[in-house]
Amino acid sequence: MLVPTFAALAFAYLLVPVAYTVAFSFNDAGKTNLVWRGFTLDNWRNPCAAPQVCEAFANSLQVGFVSTIVATVLGTLIAIALVRFRFRGRSATNLLIFLPMSTPEVVLGAALLAQFLALRVPLGFGTVVAAHVMFCISFVVVTVKARVSSLDPALEEAAADLYASPLQAFWRVTFPLLLPGIAAAALLAFSLSFDDFIVTNFTSGAYTTFPKFVYVSATRGIPPQANVISSFMFVLALAIVVLVQVLGYARSKRLRAR
């Protein structure tokens, strides 16, 4: 009984910031959003009322989508190569893949900033995407690599026995089996990219993303419209997780019925 109680308390503690964010999205705030002043739905009716909040949110979505696509494609190809092929430098590649995951974000951000300044690359959207792709690839490789390792190579050999070319075998056999792992890796990469502040702050220059906007606004009270967007993203992520679980349960139920 004691363990479930502590688990429930820990879970409730983790949800306190989320509850605060949702509650203050309905705050009838004036110039600051630090004190509760009353309930209102105006913030939800017009989430772009605060200056630059929707622009910063759109920037984060743009960076997240581009970074996710690039990191997912490259990370999937790297994961397949590391599991299925033997080549010179394979062990070193495995080690290098884990470096961005183990490197503190402050060190990674400072190193990238120094590199961009040395190469005289203007800071902005491009540098933020390059930085996000760098650390997202590691998580994509780790996620997809686990999925590739669980696949039976005999399935591809069977496709070859049925006169399928290597490309046909990949698209019709391997890729559909890898798709759940690739989708999970893409969602993880998008979450990491959308949520990142430290690396973004080093590499963005004047380009503002949603986490940067929240950080700058925190000194005077985050606008309730920012809380609205944060609450919406939380509810959307929760809905996706619940939907995936429901679909998975329904699929497993159908398989058991057969």
Side-chain angles (χ1 to χ4, degrees):
M1 184 62 185
L2 194 60
V3 173
T5 302
F6 280 115
L9 290 174
F11 189 70
Y13 176 75
L14 291 174
L15 289 178
V16 167
V18 177
Y20 174 90
T21 300
V22 174
F24 272 74
S25 69
F26 296 99
N27 186 25
D28 188 12
K31 294 182 179 180
T32 65
N33 192 31
L34 297 174
V35 180
W36 179 262
R37 299 180 184 276
F39 180 87
T40 182
L41 292 174
D42 292 340
N43 303 323
W44 284 84
R45 294 193 186 102
N46 187 14
C48 295
Q52 296 185 332
V53 63
C54 282
E55 179 184 351
F57 178 63
N59 289 343
S60 285
L61 289 178
Q62 188 178 16
V63 170
F65 280 126
V66 175
S67 302
T68 298
I69 292 172
V70 177
T72 302
V73 172
L74 295 178
T76 300
L77 296 176
I78 293 171
I80 294 173
L82 290 174
V83 175
R84 292 295 177 86
F85 299 96
R86 299 292 181 267
F87 54 89
R88 182 177 299 177
R90 181 171 174 268
S91 299
T93 304
N94 257 321
L95 176 63
L96 291 174
I97 285 298
F98 283 95
L99 280 180
M101 298 176 64
S102 58
T103 303
E105 288 195 56
V106 173
V107 176
L108 183 60
L112 287 170
L113 175 61
Q115 184 178 10
F116 290 142
L117 293 178
L119 296 175
R120 297 184 179 180
V121 178
L123 300 180
F125 173 77
T127 54
V128 174
V129 169
H132 285 205
V133 169
M134 176 173 290
F135 65 77
C136 284
I137 280 183
S138 300
F139 293 92
V140 173
V141 171
V142 171
T143 305
V144 178
K145 188 179 174 183
R147 182 66 178 174
V148 177
S149 300
S150 66
L151 296 184
D152 187 357
L155 296 173
E156 297 173 356
E157 295 173 2
D161 289 340
L162 295 173
Y163 303 103
S165 65
L167 187 60
Q168 289 175 325
F170 175 78
W171 284 114
R172 297 190 178 187
V173 178
T174 307
F175 182 74
L177 294 173
L178 291 180
L179 194 56
I182 295 174
L187 289 174
L188 178 60
F190 180 81
S191 300
L192 291 170
S193 175
F194 184 87
D195 188 54
D196 182 76
F197 166 73
I198 298 176
V199 175
T200 303
N201 196 41
F202 276 100
T203 59
S204 60
Y207 190 79
T208 301
T209 61
F210 189 70
K212 275 189 66 177
F213 175 84
V214 170
Y215 176 78
V216 173
S217 304
T219 55
R220 60 180 182 274
I222 299 172
Q225 290 80 8
N227 288 343
V228 169
I229 293 175
S230 301
S231 302
F232 170 76
M233 293 299 294
F234 173 77
V235 172
L236 179 62
L238 185 62
I240 292 174
V241 171
V242 172
L243 179 62
V244 170
Q245 293 296 324
V246 170
L247 292 177
Y249 174 77
R251 183 186 178 189
S252 63
K253 192 175 180 179
R254 286 197 304 269
L255 292 176
R256 286 196 300 267
R258 292 178 183 176

